[in-house]
Amino acid sequence: MIHVQGITKRYKDTLAVDDLSFEVREGVVTGFLGPNGSGKSTTMRMIMGLDAPDEGTATIDGTSYHGLGLPLREVGALLEAKAIHPGRSAFNHLWYLAQTNDIARQRVDDVLEMVGLSAVAHRRVGKFSLGMGQRLGIAAALLGDPPTLLFDEPINGLDPEGILWVRNLLKGLAAEGRTVFVSSHLMSEMALTAEQLVVIGRGRLISSGSVDDFIAESSGQFVRVRSPEARALEALLLERGAHVVAEDDGSYSVSGLDAAAIGTLAGDAGLHLHELSPQMASLEEAFMELTRDSVEYRGHESPHGAPVTASFPSTNSGK
Amino acid sequence: MSTTLTYTSRDLAPATHARVRTSSALRGEWTKLRSVRSTTWTILALAVITLGVAAIAGSTVSSSWHTMSAFERQTFDPTGLSLRGMLFGQLVIGVLGILVMSAEYSTGSIRSTLMAVPSRSKVMLTKVAIMAVVGFVVSEVLSFGAFFLGQALLASPAPHATLSQPGVLRAVMGGGLVLTVLGLVALGLATIIRHSAAAITTYVGVLLVLPLVVQALPTSISQPITKYLPFHISDAMTSVTHVLGSGPSLSPWTGFAVLCGYAGVALAVGTWMLVRRDA
């Protein structure tokens, strides 16, 4: 379990993290969500004992990082893809880390195999792609078989296959009872991976709790419906008190009734449905809404004014 | 990528120590040093310079012997001649000492290092120990190598030196010791400065530019300072007959003690800053 209590970090005149408190439980994936520059990486570095908080404490299973015995066996972290000397081979990077914490050489080979880098173990890391670098960083985090794991933007630079692999890895680690804390600036990614969420903006806590609660809290959920008998269906829905908005593309956005109720209604009336899909875009919207005031660097509004719905998140940079 | 392996280790021995052991940290640091090419290249460059200068100086002096003045012949120092390359070697060992620390910052690997070994004074201690041992072995081998190579190529009528002559063994041993300690000075500077280029510039500045600056000062000011400069301490150590012509020198071992003091200060300040600063 990770326990963060009132940590504050100042860099010259900017307040990177502001009196932040939260807990990360074992056994589930906890997403650490916030816009770029909101203090996620700084918070993780403070948990890992790299940066000293100006105020407050961060502990792992009740102990500060500096108090851990053999730290790699207690906590593993992927902080930045290239926290690795490019001139060193993947094997040697892991091997020196293993030596410091009395970890057997066999474990180095094992984690290299887990992340799929066995074939390039003795190649210099400088020749690695961004995705391979991420995999090596993940291997380093897993090296000591630690009960607590932190991943800072782990899907950066990964191809779709790699993204899927990371999702399954995170869930698998949590299923083994570990504490898994993973940061992302992509709400859609966290919706697929995390059960718990810690949402921050400008270094302050915005929300924490389960993803389900987060969805429930966010208003404006709707179901997209398409039907060749649209007029009849619309009448039926309005009769049941649903709110129906006709979209430009011929679909209807229905709120006030869930997908099951709409489907039953249409079936009973003998109306065909070509689409009946609950929309999660509101999750992204809720996140945008929550963090709107706390985005540090904002571009101009997109011409559509709509949030980006992501099936596969693009490989955005974490910084 | 494997789906058959679980993420759990099958055979990770249980932790038996409350802390990262110094011996374990030393093994890790040694792996780090030997697993990058820059280590091989700098040591190779050190060998080429020290042995190369010894060979060239040794083989060319006999041809110019007949043009040398009586005074030059009288004060001719075959030991110092063979060790002349060690002066250039000071720059190279400095680069090695600097890269041991600054490469950690330029590549970001310092974060990996500090996550594995959270005690920063222990990280510093192991780096100093590894640099001291590697620096000592390499420097002594090259110092003796340069001496024997230089003497072997020194043709008559120029006189030869042997280790049994007074001051010769001290000069040859001392050449290696000076290099070792300068490597540690560089490591300390790099820990303070953290950037490779800036650290190398500072190191070269102290070693080569500072003597020129001091030389440009009025004698009344420069004379008491000069003998404390690393360059002059090193020259005093590696010479048997001392005629630099720049005023009084510290005795070889007093100079060496001063040099160790410089290294101690650089390493102490570096350690203090490593402990204090965010990584």
Side-chain angles (χ1 to χ4, degrees):
Chain A
M1 188 164 92
I2 301 168
H3 188 84
V4 169
Q5 183 62 52
I7 54 168
T8 298
K9 184 70 184 177
R10 260 176 229 98
Y11 293 111
K12 297 208 173 80
D13 29 305
T14 56
L15 198 55
V17 177
D18 184 5
D19 194 22
L20 184 61
S21 300
F22 60 84
E23 267 183 12
V24 184
R25 291 209 321 265
E26 56 270 4
V28 293
V29 177
T30 301
F32 192 21
L33 200 58
N36 287 334
S38 58
K40 301 188 297 292
S41 297
T42 304
T43 303
M44 285 190 156
R45 282 202 305 273
M46 288 194 281
I47 294 170
M48 297 304 291
L50 294 172
D51 289 10
D54 294 315
E55 286 159 49
T57 55
T59 58
I60 296 141
D61 294 329
T63 312
S64 79
Y65 197 85
H66 289 271
L68 297 173
L70 294 174
L72 298 184
R73 291 155 171 262
E74 309 284 342
V75 200
L78 165 77
L79 289 189
E80 280 147 287
K82 299 277 178 179
I84 299 165
H85 194 301
R88 206 168 272 132
S89 71
F91 173 83
N92 277 326
H93 174 68
L94 296 174
W95 178 222
Y96 88 75
L97 291 173
Q99 285 176 308
T100 58
N101 278 241
D102 301 338
I103 294 164
R105 192 187 171 112
Q106 179 62 42
R107 179 66 182 169
V108 174
D109 296 330
D110 285 352
V111 292
L112 280 167
E113 197 182 334
M114 279 174 206
V115 302
L117 291 178
S118 296
V120 292
H122 294 281
R123 201 183 292 175
R124 298 197 303 139
V125 176
K127 307 249 183 241
F128 279 19
S129 67
L130 188 53
M132 288 159 84
Q134 287 291 68
R135 285 167 186 269
L136 179 55
I138 290 169
L142 295 174
L143 190 62
D145 196 13
T148 302
L149 288 137
L150 284 80
F151 299 96
D152 196 359
E153 304 272 359
I155 61 165
N156 273 351
L158 293 179
D159 54 18
E161 185 209 18
I163 292 169
L164 191 62
W165 172 73
V166 168
R167 277 183 205 144
N168 291 331
L169 172 81
L170 296 176
K171 288 176 183 167
L173 291 167
E176 291 179 340
R178 298 175 212 252
T179 302
V180 180
F181 192 40
V182 51
S183 83
S184 179
H185 61 284
L186 299 169
M187 179 69 214
S188 49
E189 183 55 35
M190 288 297 95
L192 289 167
T193 320
E195 273 183 54
Q196 295 283 316
L197 281 182
V198 173
V199 185
I200 68 167
R202 281 194 185 166
R204 278 192 291 267
L205 186 71
I206 290 175
S207 163
S208 75
S210 74
V211 174
D212 292 343
D213 289 347
F214 195 79
I215 295 169
E217 279 168 25
S218 59
S219 56
Q221 284 189 85
F222 68 99
V223 181
R224 183 182 296 147
V225 181
R226 284 178 205 272
S227 170
E229 293 112 352
R231 288 286 164 208
L233 183 64
E234 185 184 5
L236 207 55
L237 290 168
L238 290 170
E239 202 173 291
R240 289 297 180 93
H243 184 67
V244 183
V245 178
E247 303 291 348
D248 293 344
D249 63 356
S251 71
Y252 287 99
S253 295
V254 182
S255 51
L257 283 177
D258 65 9
I262 297 166
T264 306
L265 200 62
D268 289 349
L271 299 174
H272 293 95
L273 292 183
H274 288 177
E275 183 181 353
L276 180 67
S277 56
Q279 292 303 300
M280 301 277 280
S282 60
L283 201 59
E284 197 88 41
E285 259 171 348
F287 171 56
M288 304 273 276
E289 193 60 45
L290 273 174
T291 58
R292 190 172 304 281
D293 298 331
S294 57
V295 176
E296 195 88 6
Y297 315 99
R298 194 190 328 219
H300 54 81
E301 289 293 318
S302 74
H304 310 296
V308 182
T309 49
S311 49
F312 272 118
S314 57
T315 53
N316 286 316
S317 149
K319 282 279 148 190
Chain B
M1 162 177 14
S2 170
T3 48
T4 51
L5 271 173
T6 61
Y7 314 114
T8 309
S9 166
R10 292 186 300 260
D11 52 6
L12 199 62
T16 51
H17 307 284
R19 282 266 175 280
V20 173
R21 285 187 299 181
T22 305
S23 60
S24 304
L26 280 170
R27 273 197 294 275
E29 202 59 50
W30 167 241
T31 299
K32 252 194 266 184
L33 184 67
R34 66 171 179 75
S35 62
V36 289
R37 286 183 186 178
S38 59
T39 306
T40 318
W41 284 114
T42 43
I43 290 175
L44 208 62
L46 192 60
V48 168
I49 284 178
T50 52
L51 300 179
V53 171
I56 292 165
S59 55
T60 54
V61 77
S62 53
S63 59
S64 59
W65 183 259
H66 64 278
T67 63
M68 286 164 74
S69 70
F71 177 75
E72 280 174 330
R73 290 181 187 181
Q74 199 184 343
T75 57
F76 179 70
D77 181 359
T79 309
L81 185 76
S82 294
L83 297 178
R84 199 167 286 166
M86 302 299 275
L87 289 176
F88 301 102
Q90 292 173 2
L91 298 179
V92 184
I93 195 115
V95 170
L96 183 63
I98 284 165
L99 287 179
V100 161
M101 186 56 89
S102 66
E104 293 254 26
Y105 284 97
S106 62
T107 63
S109 68
I110 187 70
R111 285 180 280 273
S112 297
T113 296
L114 294 179
M115 284 194 279
V117 186
S119 165
R120 299 184 181 191
S121 48
K122 183 165 285 179
V123 167
M124 194 66 188
L125 177 77
T126 53
K127 280 192 187 291
V128 170
I130 294 288
M131 186 62 206
V133 171
V134 170
F136 178 76
V137 171
V138 169
S139 303
E140 288 299 345
V141 166
L142 290 178
S143 192
F144 278 93
F147 175 75
F148 289 122
L149 181 68
Q151 297 309 310
L153 293 171
L154 202 60
S156 54
H160 289 61
T162 62
L163 289 177
S164 55
Q165 288 167 350
V168 174
L169 183 62
R170 181 262 301 153
V172 179
M173 277 285 287
L177 285 174
V178 164
L179 277 202
T180 308
V181 175
L182 282 171
L184 298 180
V185 170
L187 174 59
L189 280 179
T191 313
I192 296 166
I193 296 170
R194 302 203 284 193
H195 296 281
S196 305
I200 290 171
T201 307
T202 307
Y203 179 79
V204 172
V206 170
L207 222 59
L208 294 186
V209 182
L210 199 58
L212 298 177
V213 173
V214 170
Q215 214 170 29
L217 297 171
T219 317
S220 59
I221 303 172
S222 70
Q223 194 157 309
I225 303 174
T226 304
K227 59 184 176 186
Y228 293 104
L229 295 173
F231 186 88
H232 287 256
I233 289 172
S234 163
D235 190 68
M237 182 62 111
T238 53
S239 304
V240 176
T241 52
H242 188 66
V243 279
L244 201 63
S246 56
S249 288
L250 297 173
S251 80
W253 292 112
T254 308
F256 184 67
V258 170
L259 196 63
C260 288
Y262 295 157
V265 170
L267 292 172
V269 173
T271 307
W272 180 71
M273 294 183 88
L274 181 66
V275 170
R276 203 178 130 269
R277 283 193 294 212
D278 288 336

